[in-house]
Every structure is written in structure tokens, then in C-alpha cells.
């Protein structure tokens, strides 16, 4: 058994921090001495090391506590999770070092006016981290390897057209910081599915109101378009949805495949009506 002071010396964190971990229930002492001092065994030391691994990624103590207390995760799964995170961090650092080497050699000819090269690297790392194995395998098949996809991604990111698109995304989000946050923390598949269901529910209401004879000028149709726009804002985590909605109107009005699919699902003429409703609401 080790005292709190000995544990602090082994791990390099302060005694006060260990006391705080005890207070919030993150790392409870194994026992106490006759004098009432905290004592820790090897299992507690191992738990502390896992906590410190997570802290390396600036994960909040509340989130760490939630992971550590999750009954569905055993020690091996937690270690595997940490290994994946560390590997991703290692790969990111290696790419950043390579980028610096390119600059030192004078090979940095890419143009990153909107997002810096470092920021684009961070977006790439987060994107790969959030992909499932099936998605990664598809990329490896298409580009030969993840490194091959990384090269393609960075070259494409430096193009003027891509940078203009990202500038528009920043405009939608209201700030560069919010756009980066959304890019580096994409929503999960379950949330996307939930939003799709909400979109379908809104479309069902639109079809009902259309069939009841409500016009583009009616409050009922405008209300439905506004609701759909609100769902888009939540789905894409943006502040201003007008451009996305108008682009959606273009798709429903000019893309024959989308029109056919929409009309097949909701009824003849719904795609055209939806496109006109969006334009009437946002261009009024």
C-alpha cells in the first residue's frame, strides 16, 4: 500500500489533485491508515494511470469518470480505446513534423488562406478518428492507404475552390472557431438518423398541407419551411441556414433523380412545391 504522497511522487501529480479525485469519486483510496491517511494499492495506481492517459487528450474529469464507471467497458476495452487515441495523436504529430520539414525545405507551396495547414490536419485527424472500420477500408481500397487519402485530402484542401467552400461554411457557422469545432466533432450516425426522421416528419406535414390546398403564401406552409430550416441548423450545427436551404431548393428543382425519388415517396409535384416554398420563404 502507498500513501498519497508516495503515489504523487510516482505519477508526478500533486497531493491536492489526488485529494480532489477522491472528493469527486474519480479515484477512491483503497483504504486508510490507523491515523486516517489515504492508502492506495497497485490496482488504484493502475486506475490512476488510465485517468492520466485520458487527461493527455484534455478530456474532462466528468467524462473520464463516466467512462471509468461504464459497466460495459472492461480494462482491456479502456486500454484499447486509449491506445487508439494515442496512435491518432502520434500520427497527427508525425504529419505536423513532416509539414514543418516541408516548410524548412521550401516545399510548402500550398495555399491555406481560410483554414491553416495545421487546422486542416486537425480536421483530417478528427475525420479519420470518427470513421468506422468499413469507411476506413473503403478509403484504403480507393487510395491505397490512409496515408494516400491524407495526401489527396491535403492537396484538395489547398485548392482555391475548396477554400472558397470552407469560407462559405464559416459564414454559415458564424465564426471560424464554431466551424472548426463542428468539423472536428462530427455528430454520430444515430443522431444523423434521428435528424433524418425529423426531416421526414416535416415533409409529411408539408404534403398534408399541400393536399389540403394551402398556398405558398399561407402561414401553415411558411411555418413548415421554417421548421425544416431549423432542423437543418441543428443537423449541420450552423447559425445561418439560408444558403443551405436555397441550395436544397436548387436540388429539388433541378436534380431529376432527387425529384423522382421525392415525388415517388410523397406524391407527384411535391419536389417542385417544396423547392418553391423554400424560395418563397427565404427570398421573400
Amino acid at each position: 500500500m502507498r500513501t498519497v504522497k508516495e503515489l504523487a511522487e510516482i505519477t508526478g501529480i500533486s497531493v491536492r489533485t489526488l485529494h480532489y479525485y477522491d472528493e469527486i469519486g474519480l479515484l477512491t483510496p483503497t483504504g486508510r491508515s490507523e491515523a486516517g491517511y489515504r492508502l492506495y494499492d497497485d490496482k488504484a495506481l493502475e486506475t490512476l494511470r488510465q485517468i492520466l492517459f485520458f487527461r493527455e487528450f484534455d478530456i474532462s474529469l466528468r467524462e473520464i469518470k463516466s467512462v471509468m464507471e461504464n459497466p460495459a467497458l472492461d480494462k482491456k476495452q479502456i486500454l484499447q480505446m486509449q491506445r487508439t487515441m494515442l496512435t491518432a495523436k502520434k500520427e497527427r504529430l508525425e504529419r505536423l513534423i513532416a509539414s514543418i520539414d516541408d516548410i524548412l525545405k521550401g516545399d510548402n507551396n500550398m495555399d491555406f488562406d481560410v483554414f491553416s495547414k495545421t487546422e486542416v490536419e486537425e480536421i483530417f485527424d478528427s475525420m479519420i478518428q470518427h470513421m468506422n472500420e468499413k469507411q476506413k477500408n473503403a478509403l484504403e481500397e480507393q487510395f491505397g492507404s490512409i496515408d494516400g487519402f491524407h495526401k489527396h485530402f491535403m492537396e484538395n484542401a489547398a485548392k482555391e475552390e475548396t477554400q472558397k467552400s470552407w469560407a462559405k461554411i464559416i459564414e454559415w457557422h458564424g465564426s471560424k472557431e464554431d466551424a472548426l469545432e463542428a468539423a472536428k466533432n462530427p455528430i454520430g450516425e444515430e443522431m444523423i438518423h434521428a435528424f433524418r426522421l425529423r426531416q421526414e416528419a416535416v415533409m409529411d406535414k408539408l404534403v398534408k398541407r399541400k393536399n389540403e390546398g394551402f398556398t405558398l403564401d399561407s402561414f401553415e406552409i411558411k411555418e413548415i419551411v421554417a421548421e425544416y430550416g431549423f432542423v437543418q441548423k441543428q443537423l449541420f450545427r450552423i447559425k445561418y441556414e439560408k444558403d443551405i436551404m436555397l441550395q436544397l431548393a436548387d436540388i429539388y428543382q433541378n436534380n431529376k433523380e432527387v425529384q423522382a425519388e421525392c415525388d415517388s415517396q410523397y406524391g407527384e409535384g411535391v419536389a417542385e412545391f417544396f423547392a418553391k416554398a423554400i424560395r418563397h420563404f427565404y427570398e421573400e
Side-chain angles (χ1 to χ4, degrees), residues 94-272:
E94 287 175 346
R95 281 194 289 270
L96 290 176
I97 291 171
S99 296
I100 292 173
D101 289 342
D102 287 343
I103 294 172
L104 291 174
K105 290 187 296 184
D107 294 338
N108 185 40
N109 298 318
M110 294 184 175
D111 181 18
F112 293 92
D113 291 334
V114 180
F115 288 139
S116 69
K117 192 170 184 179
T118 299
E119 289 167 340
V120 174
E121 290 280 9
E122 291 175 351
I123 292 172
F124 177 85
D125 290 331
S126 178
M127 180 174 61
I128 294 298
Q129 185 178 341
H130 286 86
M131 283 182 179
N132 56 41
E133 288 305 313
K134 184 178 180 180
Q135 291 169 323
K136 290 179 183 177
N137 291 337
L139 287 177
E140 290 176 349
E141 183 175 339
Q142 182 177 355
F143 296 97
S145 65
I146 295 298
D147 285 338
F149 173 60
H150 172 256
K151 181 181 179 182
H152 168 81
F153 184 86
M154 295 302 293
E155 289 174 351
N156 187 65
K159 294 178 180 178
E160 182 180 358
E161 183 179 348
T162 304
Q163 291 289 312
K164 286 181 178 179
S165 296
W166 280 348
K168 179 59 68 176
I169 290 173
I170 289 175
E171 183 180 327
W172 294 342
H173 283 275
S175 71
K176 181 177 179 179
E177 291 72 23
D178 288 344
L180 271 175
E181 181 67 20
K184 290 190 288 186
N185 296 282
I187 62 176
E189 293 181 9
E190 290 185 3
M191 286 296 295
I192 292 176
H193 178 66
F195 279 119
R196 297 301 182 210
L197 292 178
R198 286 187 63 190
Q199 289 172 335
E200 290 176 7
V202 177
M203 287 298 290
D204 286 337
K205 287 197 290 185
L206 179 76
V207 173
K208 182 180 179 182
R209 292 290 184 264
K210 174 181 177 295
N211 293 338
E212 290 172 349
F214 287 97
T215 65
L216 301 179
D217 288 320
S218 67
F219 171 79
E220 287 78 5
I221 296 298
K222 290 180 179 179
E223 182 182 32
I224 291 171
V225 173
E227 184 180 354
Y228 198 100
F230 180 71
V231 174
Q232 294 294 91
K233 286 175 68 173
Q234 290 184 309
L235 173 60
F236 294 105
R237 292 179 293 175
I238 57 178
K239 291 183 179 179
Y240 310 108
E241 82 284 4
K242 178 179 177 179
D243 284 349
I244 284 182
M245 290 294 288
L246 289 175
Q247 287 179 16
L248 192 64
D250 282 336
I251 292 171
Y252 276 89
Q253 206 157 29
N254 301 313
N255 188 308
K256 300 302 181 185
E257 291 183 4
V258 172
Q259 281 183 344
E261 183 179 349
C262 178
D263 288 353
S264 173
Q265 181 176 356
Y266 296 105
E268 189 68 28
V270 171
E272 182 74 15

Side-chain angles (χ1 to χ4, degrees), residues 7 27 33 45 57-58 66 72 85 97 104 118 171 188 193 212 226 245 260 278 280:
L7 197 64
L27 181 69
S33 68
L45 176 59
F57 299 92
D58 296 323
S66 177
M85 295 167 69
I97 291 171
L104 291 174
T118 299
E171 183 180 327
H193 178 66
E212 290 172 349
M245 290 294 288
I278 292 173
H280 191 79

